[in-house]
Amino acid sequence: MDTTEATDPFLLAGRSFRSRLIVGSGKYRSFEETRRATEAAGAEIVTVAVRRVNITDPGRENLLDQLPPDRFTILPNTAGCHTAEEAIRTCRLAREAGGWTLIKLEVIGDERTLFPDVPATIDAARVLVREGFQVLPYVTDDPVACKRLEELGCPAVMPLAAPIGSGLGIRNPWNLRIIIEQSRVPVVVDAGVGTASHAAEALELGCDAVLMNTAIAGAKDPILMAEAMRLAVEAGRKAYLAGRIPTRLYATASSPIEGMIR
């Protein structure tokens, strides 16, 4: 086990994880490829769209046959929901189907960008927290919205880096820095990551973890990309803990000038 993972666990909703990479389960060519990519990523948490992937009917091919809940933490999500009411019903279904109460909340407000409907997300989170759910909300990179969700009792906030599936990377690192500085709960970058350097950047900024799906599943070689993302997340976290040098406009000598022979 990596010594940093052992001494610096990712704490989320009262649980401890070694990996800071959360992966999605959609867009793969098969459930078997989903499993192989998840393993290559070293991920322990896998998010699953309750409305799109079979996790309840034992008579059909079931994702949980490849990703058993005794080995992975299954994180049901409300992908495809466009109102607070839809999202609340979907979370209740997940609880009835598998006893899941740790959920990723998505309420989409715009079909073109897939940006979240922030007021509806807050409304849904308020109800779900009261019902005992541990809500991980997908939200814009808005410090005020993230603070409101934390105050409601969400055990983490999940601001986007860029539109879902865009691969653009972190578009507004300054807002993310504000969110990180003000938050007393984990900050997980969700959506917009396209390649390993984006994942490393998120962790270098001080985000606690990163969640991705398309960046891995849509790669030419998903298994190799999953491994690259694992290494990038590990490198980014170590760089953050190490404390990078400040940026300067002008050069500074690599060797001290005191005592130089003249």
Side-chain angles (χ1 to χ4, degrees):
M1 179 189 299
D2 186 288
T3 55
T4 304
E5 292 177 352
T7 59
D8 178 43
F10 173 38
L11 303 177
L12 177 67
R15 311 180 196 190
S16 178
F17 300 94
R18 296 185 304 276
S19 174
R20 293 175 179 272
L21 176 55
I22 303 170
V23 297
S25 55
K27 301 185 178 181
Y28 290 97
R29 289 170 289 190
S30 67
F31 286 164
E32 190 269 341
E33 185 178 67
T34 305
R35 176 187 56 77
R36 291 178 59 214
T38 302
E39 291 174 341
E44 298 167 280
I45 306 173
V46 184
T47 183
V48 177
V50 177
R51 301 179 69 182
R52 295 174 178 165
V53 177
N54 176 38
I55 56 174
T56 60
D57 184 354
R60 296 189 294 124
E61 185 180 19
N62 193 307
L63 178 63
L64 301 187
D65 293 335
Q66 294 286 341
L67 300 173
D70 61 349
R71 183 179 171 192
F72 298 95
T73 294
I74 303 301
L75 178 63
N77 70 60
T78 62
C81 293
H82 292 79
T83 67
E85 291 73 20
E86 278 186 300
I88 291 167
R89 285 198 304 270
T90 301
C91 291
R92 289 169 178 165
L93 174 62
R95 181 167 57 186
E96 291 174 9
W100 292 293
T101 56
L102 179 66
I103 55 97
K104 178 189 171 188
L105 175 63
E106 298 181 30
V107 184
I108 299 302
D110 178 69
E111 278 298 329
R112 185 178 184 186
T113 63
L114 298 181
F115 280 160
D117 182 329
V118 174
T121 300
I122 292 173
D123 289 344
R126 182 179 293 108
V127 172
L128 292 167
V129 168
R130 287 174 181 169
E131 293 187 5
F133 287 93
Q134 294 172 299
V135 179
L136 310 182
Y138 162 64
V139 68
T140 54
D141 54 353
D142 176 358
V144 175
C146 287
K147 195 64 180 175
R148 294 286 182 271
L149 288 159
E150 179 183 331
E151 290 169 349
L152 286 177
C154 295
V157 291
M158 305 181 79
L160 56 79
I164 291 173
S166 68
L168 289 170
I170 296 172
R171 297 292 85 198
N172 195 338
W174 299 276
N175 271 23
L176 282 179
R177 286 181 60 183
I178 294 170
I179 293 168
I180 292 163
E181 288 176 6
Q182 74 179 14
S183 296
R184 294 171 296 175
V185 296
V187 177
V188 181
V189 161
D190 179 12
V193 169
T195 190
S197 60
H198 299 158
E201 181 184 5
L203 274 292
E204 288 171 359
L205 281 171
C207 294
D208 295 274
V210 62
L211 190 157
M212 65 184 72
N213 186 183
T214 306
I216 296 176
K220 292 181 180 178
D221 186 336
I223 312 307
L224 187 59
M225 183 61 81
E227 181 182 1
M229 292 299 188
R230 173 178 62 80
L231 295 171
V233 167
E234 292 172 2
R237 180 63 178 179
K238 288 182 179 181
Y240 171 74
L241 294 175
R244 63 154 292 156
I245 64 171
T247 56
R248 297 183 176 93
L249 181 60
Y250 297 104
T252 57
S254 298
S255 302
I257 61 173
E258 291 81 5
M260 287 181 63
I261 298 173
R262 299 180 184 277

